[in-house]
Amino acid sequence: MALDNLISVAFTPAELAAFDTALAAIETLLQGKVINLTPAERQRFAAVSNETLPWVQKCRDYITQMPGIVPAYLDITRLDADITARQDISPRLARTKSILESLDDTKVLLGSDIFDNCIFFYRAVKAAAQANVPGSTTVYQDLAVQFPGRPHSRLAPQTDEKPVQNDLKAVPNDLKLVQNDLKAVPND
């Protein structure tokens, strides 16, 4: 039974170096120009969204059309600079989010491929331990700690002694669990 490989990707050392160089260039460019907020700060500050953007534009239009009612403490130059900076970063932020989403999705698929392969190995080791393949019990018991909430096979430590009759009764039930696990895996 073959595993589906969801994604195959590799980066050359030159590509990774170029990626790191590009990131460093972006970080250098943005140094002193961007701010990191805490989650609490994000909740505290007002934000302009797609829903409020038309209202903001109306306010700016009225500021231009009716300068007599603009409060003296309102810094129009700073307001215009903020509007321009927001307009400047918005399309770049959208591109960056798209790139970040693609990287994150790729990481998810790679993780899924890795985990699926490890689960198949784990199941094979579990079956080998249940069949008393030498050395497999220790490997199974070491890997089984990843799943603490699930019942584990009652595998006795490997000794030269013959297992007690009660231990043998558990093996057929555990083999049924392995068979059920393997049935859940799609066949090619």
Side-chain angles (χ1 to χ4, degrees):
M1 160 176 22
L3 285 174
D4 288 336
N5 190 33
L6 300 174
I7 189 168
S8 291
V9 64
F11 297 98
T12 66
E15 290 171 329
L16 292 173
F19 192 178
D20 292 340
T21 300
L23 290 174
I26 292 169
E27 289 168 340
T28 300
L29 177 87
L30 296 178
Q31 191 170 4
K33 295 184 181 193
V34 295
I35 304 292
N36 284 331
L37 299 176
T38 66
E41 289 171 330
R42 283 180 169 270
Q43 295 297 317
R44 192 176 84 202
F45 293 113
V48 174
S49 65
N50 288 337
E51 294 80 24
T52 58
L53 195 55
W55 179 81
V56 167
Q57 188 56 49
K58 280 183 186 181
C59 286
R60 184 60 192 97
D61 291 344
Y62 283 128
I63 288 170
T64 302
Q65 295 167 11
M66 306 189 72
I69 61 171
V70 176
Y73 55 83
L74 187 69
D75 185 344
I76 299 170
T77 304
R78 185 69 255 155
L79 173 64
D80 287 342
D82 288 348
I83 289 171
T84 300
R86 186 181 185 283
Q87 289 170 340
D88 290 345
I89 66 171
S90 288
R92 287 153 184 91
L93 179 60
R95 282 181 67 190
T96 304
K97 283 182 176 182
S98 177
I99 293 168
L100 181 61
E101 185 176 340
S102 296
L103 284 170
D104 197 44
D105 290 347
T106 300
K107 183 181 170 190
V108 166
L109 292 178
L110 288 168
S112 181
D113 281 348
I114 292 165
F115 190 78
D116 287 349
N117 280 282
C118 290
I119 282 293
F120 276 103
F121 174 72
Y122 172 73
R123 289 176 181 161
V125 167
K126 182 177 179 180
Q130 290 168 336
N132 291 323
V133 174
S136 61
T137 301
T138 302
V139 174
Y140 168 70
Q141 289 173 341
D142 186 36
L143 295 176
V145 298
Q146 177 64 32
F147 309 104
R150 297 185 180 169
H152 298 293
S153 300
R154 288 174 271 172
L155 296 173
Q158 291 185 348
T159 64
D160 292 336
E161 300 174 19
K162 292 185 179 183
V164 179
Q165 186 65 27
N166 289 342
D167 290 341
L168 288 176
K169 290 179 182 176
V171 173
N173 289 333
D174 290 339
L175 286 175
K176 287 178 187 174
L177 289 173
V178 171
Q179 290 170 343
N180 289 338
D181 286 344
L182 291 175
K183 286 180 187 174
V185 176
N187 292 326
D188 284 343

